[in-house]
Amino acid sequence: MTKPAPASTPTIYLEGPIGASQGGKLTAASVRSQLAAFAGAPVVRVEINSDGGDLVEGLAIYSALRAHPSRKVGVVMGMAASMASVLLQACDERRMARGSFLRI
């Protein structure tokens, strides 16, 4: 069993529709910006609450997460559906909050 991420772990938030074309603010550029702020962190928590969205933008976000050198702990806080479920797979460890929903 792995140790839980400490409470002081830096957190990025993947919330809302993926891609500007879907009316969302969750883009590869916004995720890269959040990740850059934690370049030296050994662990980054990735909180997800999204019903998915744009495939191409989602793949760019997936690639940005995979390329980041920190260990990523993905936590579904509400919903991870469609492309958001793929983003969860970019994390090294995956967790579900009580009452959360995952749709692949």
Side-chain angles (χ1 to χ4, degrees), residues 3-64:
K3 289 171 78 173
S8 62
T9 300
T11 302
I12 69 166
Y13 301 94
L14 308 182
E15 299 175 315
I18 297 170
S21 66
Q22 301 295 312
K25 296 179 182 174
L26 180 52
T27 64
S30 70
V31 171
R32 282 192 303 269
S33 177
Q34 289 185 73
L35 287 170
F38 307 126
V43 177
V44 173
R45 181 179 169 100
V46 180
E47 291 192 3
I48 302 171
N49 184 22
S50 172
D51 60 356
D54 185 86
L55 170 69
V56 175
E57 194 71 23
L59 291 174
I61 294 169
Y62 177 92
S63 296

Side-chain angles (χ1 to χ4, degrees), residues 44-88:
V44 173
R45 181 179 169 100
V46 180
E47 291 192 3
I48 302 171
N49 184 22
S50 172
D51 60 356
D54 185 86
L55 170 69
V56 175
E57 194 71 23
L59 291 174
I61 294 169
Y62 177 92
S63 296
L65 287 167
R66 292 299 304 158
H68 195 271
S70 299
R71 181 173 159 269
K72 278 81 60 189
V73 177
V75 183
V76 178
M77 298 303 291
M79 178 189 328
S82 194
M83 181 47 76
S85 71
V86 174
L87 300 183
L88 179 64

